[in-house]
Amino acid sequence: MPRRELLKKARRIVVKIGSSLVTSNGSISRTKISRLVKDIASLIRDGRQVVVVSSGAISAGCGALGRERGNMSIPEKQAVAAVGQIVLINEYRACFQRLGLQVGQILLTEDDVKHRRRFLNARHTMNTLLEMGIVPVVNENDSVVVKEIKFGDNDTLSAHVANIIEADLLVLLSDVEGFYRDLSDPEPVDEVYRIDEDIWRRAGGSGSVHGTGGMVTKIRAADIVIKSGEKMVIASGKIKDVLGKIIRGDKVGTIFVGKGGGLASKKRWIAFNMPVKGTITVDDGAVKALRESKKSLLATGITAVNGKFDLGDAVEIHDAAGNPVGKGIVNYTFAELGLIKGRKTGEIRQILGGTYFDEVINRDELILL
Ligand code: GLU
């Protein structure tokens, strides 16, 4: 099937809208928002579910307060975002309401996707809004985030939102037409299947054709989406009926295509949201069991344990040469693993003196790298 045909089937879509598409001369623009909202509403009328991730809180706040964006301190930006987010959401509310749709606002920080319970809470809320026919409008919670818990950009945030709701398509709308290998290219690259070194370099590394920022965060989002098995499109929000065109399979922007089959939600969370707290080195037999026989990780194949982790933490599994093989949630602490590594499952109870899991990492909580 031609890959653009795949887009016709998308049922759950996250649409990320960049600041430049909702503002005009430094203030929020109802005309611009209303045009995009019409496009989104037609997707919904067509039986699809859409979550909007919109930037523009800081720009809207600057407009409302008559301030320049340039020389603000971080607390000032946070204060301006607190004012601007209301302006922004009110515009979405007014525009969707005219078309008979309600919006619900969700503001997230990176903490919300790192902690399993909060991740699940966000997921339940978004799923419920979608089931109720309400359009979730998401932004980063700019007024309270500090550097440590910040996504920092809405491209990355929208890829996480796509994972939270297991969307089958993420569309990044901004003022760029797509991903270009070289700026002299007349048209953006049509399709990308893998984010390799060359793409990273062209997107933002030294020698980038894209200059600063912008593209590297979009490629980071694409990397998450591809690894999750789904699809992403980068396109210009200035194109008339852009979402309709994308969904009909017209050639617009750049499409990034994952292998399909969508990674289960829990595995996405393990892959992209859990910090790695340690490493477990395994022998060749264990690597084979994980890769080829799709087995769980047992104590018997473990040769070394590094880092101080608790049960329930995520660890990386390495082969004897130190290459990453997988990542998963571990059922034992680092100290326990130190005692049971290399031992048969039947011996675990005797060594640790209690009833424990058979697997050190269960297959359902394990992803291969
Ligand atoms: N959350 C920011 C805002 O609403 C935008 C971040 C971004 O554009 O990536 O102003």
Side-chain angles (χ1 to χ4, degrees):
M1 190 196 298
R3 49 77 172 170
R4 295 270 180 188
E5 290 289 309
L6 294 170
L7 298 180
K8 291 186 182 164
K9 294 195 170 162
R11 300 253 67 89
R12 273 202 163 184
I13 306 167
V14 175
V15 178
K16 184 257 169 175
I17 299 175
S19 292
S20 66
L21 297 176
V22 298
T23 51
S24 161
N25 301 322
S27 284
I28 211 83
S29 160
R30 180 166 298 194
T31 322
K32 283 185 157 182
I33 294 184
S34 145
R35 197 176 61 79
L36 289 166
V37 161
K38 271 192 203 133
D39 269 16
I40 294 167
S42 350
L43 296 188
I44 297 172
R45 259 184 247 115
D46 207 22
R48 304 172 205 268
Q49 294 179 322
V50 182
V51 172
V52 177
V53 175
S54 180
S55 305
I58 299 181
S59 305
C62 286
L65 298 170
R67 296 192 59 135
E68 289 287 328
R69 200 188 174 106
N71 48 7
M72 281 190 289
S73 66
I74 290 172
E76 277 173 331
K77 271 192 193 149
Q78 292 182 311
V80 167
V83 173
Q85 182 61 34
I86 306 174
V87 178
L88 183 67
I89 199 73
N90 266 337
E91 290 300 331
Y92 275 103
R93 182 162 187 262
C95 293
F96 273 111
Q97 217 164 27
R98 277 209 298 239
L99 303 172
L101 289 162
Q102 295 288 343
V103 298
Q105 172 179 269
I106 299 190
L107 302 177
L108 296 172
T109 67
E110 208 183 23
D111 254 6
D112 296 314
V113 300
K114 284 235 159 87
H115 293 97
R116 183 77 182 148
R117 218 180 52 214
R118 291 168 72 163
F119 177 95
L120 289 175
N121 282 341
R123 179 180 159 84
H124 290 151
T125 310
M126 279 193 228
N127 280 338
T128 309
L129 286 168
L130 290 172
E131 278 155 24
M132 290 165 81
I134 297 167
V135 187
V137 179
V138 182
N139 195 359
E140 179 147 28
N141 199 348
D142 294 311
S143 303
V144 298
V145 282
V146 287
K147 211 163 134 239
E148 294 70 29
I149 56 159
K150 204 174 162 92
F151 289 105
D153 67 89
N154 278 2
D155 295 326
T156 312
L157 168 64
S158 60
H160 283 287
V161 169
N163 270 344
I164 289 176
I165 60 155
E166 286 170 85
D168 37 19
L169 172 64
L170 167 63
V171 181
L172 299 185
L173 295 180
S174 68
D175 50 7
V176 299
E177 302 279 341
F179 175 74
Y180 291 83
R181 283 201 181 274
D182 284 296
L183 282 185
S184 54
D185 290 350
E187 282 182 28
V189 176
D190 191 22
E191 46 194 80
V192 174
Y193 291 88
R194 211 170 71 84
I195 309 296
D196 55 20
E197 280 306 312
D198 184 54
I199 290 188
W200 282 119
R201 190 180 56 74
R202 288 172 193 273
S206 55
S208 158
V209 297
H210 291 281
T212 55
M215 194 47 70
V216 72
T217 56
K218 290 180 176 52
I219 295 301
R220 202 176 293 143
D223 192 41
I224 294 177
V225 170
I226 285 184
K227 284 181 177 157
S228 299
E230 308 294 2
K231 295 159 290 296
M232 186 184 106
V233 173
I234 298 179
S236 163
K238 292 180 176 163
I239 298 171
K240 195 162 172 275
D241 182 28
V242 64
L243 293 171
K245 287 187 172 129
I246 290 172
I247 223 72
R248 284 193 296 274
D250 293 359
K251 195 166 175 280
V252 219
T254 303
I255 176 173
F256 297 80
V257 195
K259 274 203 284 288
L263 206 57
S265 162
K266 186 159 191 192
K267 293 200 175 190
R268 294 182 193 202
W269 182 71
I270 294 169
F272 308 114
N273 304 336
M274 289 192 81
V276 176
K277 293 287 177 61
T279 56
I280 291 177
T281 307
V282 300
D283 60 22
D284 293 349
V287 173
K288 210 163 162 222
L290 295 174
R291 285 237 168 93
E292 289 164 28
S293 317
K294 313 265 177 267
K295 294 261 173 58
S296 297
L297 177 67
L298 303 179
T300 176
I302 300 177
T303 55
V305 176
N306 268 300
K308 290 192 172 172
F309 48 83
D310 214 341
L311 77 162
D313 283 342
V315 296
E316 231 173 57
I317 303 166
H318 287 184
D319 65 13
N323 302 310
V325 176
K327 180 181 174 189
I329 300 180
V330 72
N331 285 331
Y332 292 93
T333 67
F334 77 98
E336 288 166 341
L337 279 187
L339 296 172
I340 63 171
K341 67 174 195 286
R343 308 297 283 265
K344 296 231 155 43
T345 305
E347 294 176 271
I348 296 179
R349 179 193 281 262
Q350 201 187 339
I351 299 166
L352 298 179
T355 308
Y356 284 81
F357 301 90
D358 283 353
E359 310 89 8
V360 170
I361 300 179
N362 187 285
R363 188 75 215 173
D364 295 338
E365 300 186 331
L366 174 90
I367 49 135
L368 294 177
L369 296 172

